[in-house]
Amino acid sequence: QAQLLQSGAEVKKPGASVRVSCKASGYNFMTYFMYWVRQAPGQGLEWVGWINPQSGGTKLAQKFQGRVTLTRDTSITTGYMDFNNLRPDDTAMYYCSRDLGDWGQGTLVTVSS
Amino acid sequence: DIVMTQSPRSLSVTLGQPASISCRSSQSLVHKNGNTYLIWFHQRPGQSPRRLIYQVSNRDSGVPDRFSGSGSVTDFTLRISRVEAEDVGIYYCMQGTYLTTFGQGTRLEI
């Protein structure tokens, strides 16, 4: 049974950076892309990007290019989303997902002065 | 960018009655490999999304057979044959043929 365990909620000031982690277990970490999706309060789902754990290759939605970096540490089967220069409208629940089939519990990132 | 448009945006259904949600893409979702990467998700309040259907019509493991997906090219439909109380929430379509785009969501209530 695949499980994805995300890091805890974060509160950041505008302009700050945040790292969200996603610890994967119960499946071959190298075999499935890890997706990152966010959901602003009361809003719909928005694709942030994905990482291929095998190669480390990534693809980001255009609006996040330059502010988001996706990485992984295969030795501990964990993916990371680094988000810099945060703005208040980046306040959202951030989800990681194993190929969109299994999802983490979400990490709430609040950006407020 | 591909735009995914769902309709209706909200749906009120009587228990045991059918429900249908439409999803239209702004361009063909047929990949050059011949597959169509159209997915349906369900999200209950306060929960993570759950994938129901992948590649238009394939149900995920554990998804009740009252859920079915159909369509092709740019027009897709999710059908629930007999709505149950646990089906409330928001349904999203998503295309994965050209990067990834979600529809705006359809809220289903009883």
Side-chain angles (χ1 to χ4, degrees):
Chain A
Q1 180 81 4
Q3 286 195 324
L4 297 156
L5 184 61
Q6 298 185 224
S7 49
E10 302 267 9
V11 179
K12 297 291 182 181
K13 294 194 182 304
S17 298
V18 70
R19 164 171 276 201
V20 179
S21 66
C22 177
K23 166 67 177 175
S25 62
Y27 70 97
N28 186 339
F29 180 71
M30 308 291 269
T31 305
Y32 298 90
F33 281 26
M34 179 174 282
Y35 281 73
W36 290 87
V37 173
R38 78 176 185 180
Q39 186 170 37
Q43 301 301 308
L45 302 173
E46 181 176 29
W47 174 63
V48 175
W50 53 248
I51 182 167
N52 178 344
Q54 177 77 36
S55 66
T58 64
K59 183 69 77 172
L60 295 171
Q62 188 169 10
K63 70 180 288 186
F64 299 111
Q65 291 175 13
R67 291 205 298 146
V68 171
T69 304
L70 301 179
T71 57
R72 89 290 189 226
D73 184 335
T74 58
S75 68
I76 56 172
T77 64
T78 299
Y80 302 96
M81 181 190 69
D82 289 292
F83 207 136
N84 59 42
N85 195 19
L86 287 163
R87 305 188 293 246
D89 63 356
D90 293 318
T91 294
M93 187 72 80
Y94 288 80
Y95 296 100
C96 64
S97 170
R98 178 193 72 104
D99 209 26
L100 299 169
D102 295 285
W103 292 66
Q105 82 277 20
T107 296
L108 180 61
V109 176
T110 302
V111 184
S112 173
S113 56
Chain B
D1 289 4
I2 295 182
V3 176
M4 304 296 287
T5 303
Q6 291 183 228
S7 63
R9 295 297 310 277
S10 66
L11 195 53
S12 183
V13 184
T14 302
L15 287 173
Q17 294 300 302
S20 179
I21 300 170
S22 170
C23 176
R24 290 187 171 175
S25 60
S26 59
Q27 58 185 274
S28 169
L29 298 185
V30 181
H31 194 273
K32 58 185 178 182
N33 65 12
N35 293 328
T36 300
Y37 297 102
L38 188 284
I39 293 175
W40 289 97
F41 295 94
H42 176 219
Q43 186 178 33
R44 297 190 180 101
Q47 295 188 14
S48 302
R50 176 196 184 192
R51 192 175 65 192
L52 300 174
I53 303 282
Y54 62 95
Q55 288 191 40
V56 181
S57 60
N58 297 283
R59 266 192 309 275
D60 270 274
S61 175
V63 174
D65 62 7
R66 64 178 182 277
F67 290 92
S68 64
S70 64
S72 62
V73 190
T74 61
D75 289 337
F76 305 93
T77 302
L78 176 70
R79 290 188 176 86
I80 309 173
S81 59
R82 296 172 304 280
V83 170
E84 297 189 5
E86 64 182 20
D87 299 337
V88 297
I90 302 177
Y91 291 82
Y92 296 93
C93 63
M94 188 216 85
Q95 69 82 18
T97 298
Y98 304 102
L99 300 181
T100 301
T101 315
F102 287 94
Q104 324 96 301
T106 296
R107 182 179 301 274
L108 186 148
E109 61 181 26
I110 304 297

